Amino acid sequence: MSRTTLMLMDTTPVIVIDRLSKQYQPDLPFAIKDLSITVNKGEVYGFLGPNGAGKSTAIRTLLNFLQPTGGSATILGLDIVKDSVKIRKNLGYLSGDFSSYEKMTGKQFLTFMSELQPLKRKTAMTELGKTFRIDLNKHIRDLSKGNRQKLGIIQAFMHEPDIYILDEPTDGLDPLMQEAFYSLIKKSRDRGATIFVSSHNLSEVQKICDKVGIIRDGMMVAETTITNLINNAAQTFDVTFTNAPTLSALRAIPGVKNVSSTGPTSVSFHVHGDISPALTFLAHHKVLNLTTRELSLEDEFMKYYATGKSK
């Protein structure tokens, strides 16, 4: 049975966030406000936003490291405030500022963590150490930032829980180790784990996520699937005519947006979705030059920040 079929069959909510808010002081702006998110079993949910958007605050509130100001949330059907200890027994967590006991070796630290959350497979720790090419006999104080991040990933994954909450997990990893991490995400997802991952790296999110929520100034501005985000990304047409049509005529073409004049007889516009109406229009005019380029996923993402579009 394919993974797509499994996802269509299983819509069991694992994380349910209902209008969750956090305000540090009454006279300060809300760090997060009225967040509502549902993550189903087996999904990889990307929590997108630049640094300072509220991603880490949302995660820390979700894990009850911070007390919510308003709203509620459940993980695996358990209340994040009342049942936080129970929740952590079956959860892998990586903080955005991972730190550990400097005087321990990597192996000592992971052994200590395995006593708090027993491993389902005794070889899991060693296997992950080999995957991420880290010398676990070194003291943590002697590890580079990238190797400390690897250690954080290993401690989150080695007990193979049913749910993961990961805050900027590839920060500090080189491209080869990033790919190793993406492979680990796929394996975890394929065995039915649910993963909530924050990131500001769009190419990363595109590789591993099924659905994304975009946060701006502590509030959700959009939620969509990766497929829809990519499909909705526009193509840019740069056209030079013998005699340019009016901008209003171009704006009337289905799917055409952001029309602008770039010269006496040159225009630029975006086309969303089917490009046939735009091509039909151009076929009825004398075109001297035509170039097209796809807007990147980053361009599509940044529209939510440039326009202040709300959910």
Side-chain angles (χ1 to χ4, degrees):
M1 185 179 293
S2 70
R3 176 177 160 267
T4 302
T5 304
L6 283 170
M7 287 189 63
L8 288 173
M9 291 175 60
D10 197 339
T11 56
T12 304
V14 173
I15 301 175
V16 179
I17 304 173
D18 183 17
R19 299 181 66 83
L20 193 66
S21 299
K22 176 62 183 178
Q23 186 181 30
Y24 288 101
Q25 297 289 342
D27 57 338
L28 294 177
F30 278 83
I32 56 169
K33 187 174 183 181
D34 294 336
L35 286 183
S36 293
I37 299 170
T38 298
V39 185
N40 294 326
K41 180 176 172 58
E43 274 187 339
V44 181
Y45 189 100
F47 195 40
L48 270 174
N51 293 331
K55 302 188 302 297
S56 292
T57 296
I59 286 175
R60 289 169 183 159
T61 305
L62 189 60
L63 292 170
N64 200 40
F65 298 146
L66 298 172
Q67 286 285 307
T69 303
S72 63
T74 60
I75 297 176
L76 297 168
L78 300 170
D79 183 85
I80 61 167
V81 176
K82 297 177 182 177
D83 304 311
S84 61
V85 175
K86 290 181 181 179
I87 289 171
R88 289 173 200 163
K89 289 181 179 179
N90 197 23
L91 182 144
Y93 169 61
L94 177 62
S95 67
D97 52 355
F98 174 75
S99 61
S100 50
Y101 302 100
E102 297 280 304
K103 294 182 179 180
M104 286 185 173
T105 64
K107 187 173 183 179
Q108 287 171 336
F109 169 71
L110 293 176
T111 300
F112 170 70
M113 295 301 293
S114 70
E115 291 171 356
L116 298 176
Q117 288 181 302
L119 305 184
K120 294 176 181 175
R121 293 185 305 112
K122 293 182 179 180
T123 58
M125 183 195 305
T126 303
E127 290 172 3
L128 287 169
K130 290 180 179 178
T131 296
F132 287 99
R133 302 182 183 181
I134 181 174
D135 183 354
L136 295 177
N137 293 314
K138 278 190 175 183
H139 284 89
I140 295 171
R141 63 172 175 263
D142 297 327
L143 296 177
S144 65
K145 176 178 173 56
N147 280 325
R148 291 185 186 214
Q149 191 71 5
K150 294 175 188 178
L151 194 64
I153 292 171
I154 293 170
Q155 66 82 28
F157 279 82
M158 65 183 184
H159 58 286
E160 299 174 339
D162 291 332
I163 183 168
Y164 297 89
I165 296 181
L166 312 170
D167 193 358
E168 300 283 357
T170 60
D171 184 33
L173 296 186
D174 63 44
L176 184 62
M177 292 298 97
Q178 288 178 14
E179 290 299 327
F181 172 77
Y182 302 152
S183 177
L184 181 59
I185 288 285
K186 183 180 184 301
K187 289 178 182 177
S188 301
R189 179 182 60 189
D190 288 347
R191 67 172 172 79
T194 304
I195 302 162
F196 185 90
V197 54
S198 79
S199 180
H200 62 269
N201 186 331
L202 282 166
S203 62
E204 172 176 286
V205 168
Q206 184 175 350
K207 287 181 179 180
I208 65 175
C209 294
D210 304 300
K211 187 186 292 184
V212 295
I214 299 172
I215 186 173
R216 177 179 185 264
D217 297 331
M219 300 179 68
M220 288 282 284
V221 294
E223 187 178 59
T224 185
T225 64
I226 283 291
T227 300
N228 286 340
L229 192 62
I230 294 170
N231 289 344
N232 287 336
Q235 293 188 61
T236 297
F237 279 61
D238 297 306
V239 189
T240 301
F241 297 90
T242 302
N243 294 295
T246 63
L247 298 185
S248 59
L250 287 164
R251 292 188 181 108
I253 303 170
V256 169
K257 297 181 180 179
N258 301 327
V259 180
S260 61
S261 176
T262 56
T265 60
S266 300
V267 295
S268 177
F269 55 88
H270 296 168
V271 180
H272 294 258
D274 186 5
I275 66 172
S276 298
L279 294 177
T280 299
F281 179 91
L282 295 176
H284 289 87
H285 294 77
K286 291 184 177 180
V287 175
L288 297 177
N289 187 57
L290 168 66
T291 60
T292 65
R293 51 191 165 87
E294 289 188 0
L295 285 176
S296 68
L297 197 59
E298 182 174 0
D299 293 324
E300 184 68 15
F301 170 75
M302 287 308 297
K303 289 194 303 184
Y304 295 106
Y305 283 81
T307 64
K309 181 179 178 180
S310 61
K311 184 180 176 185

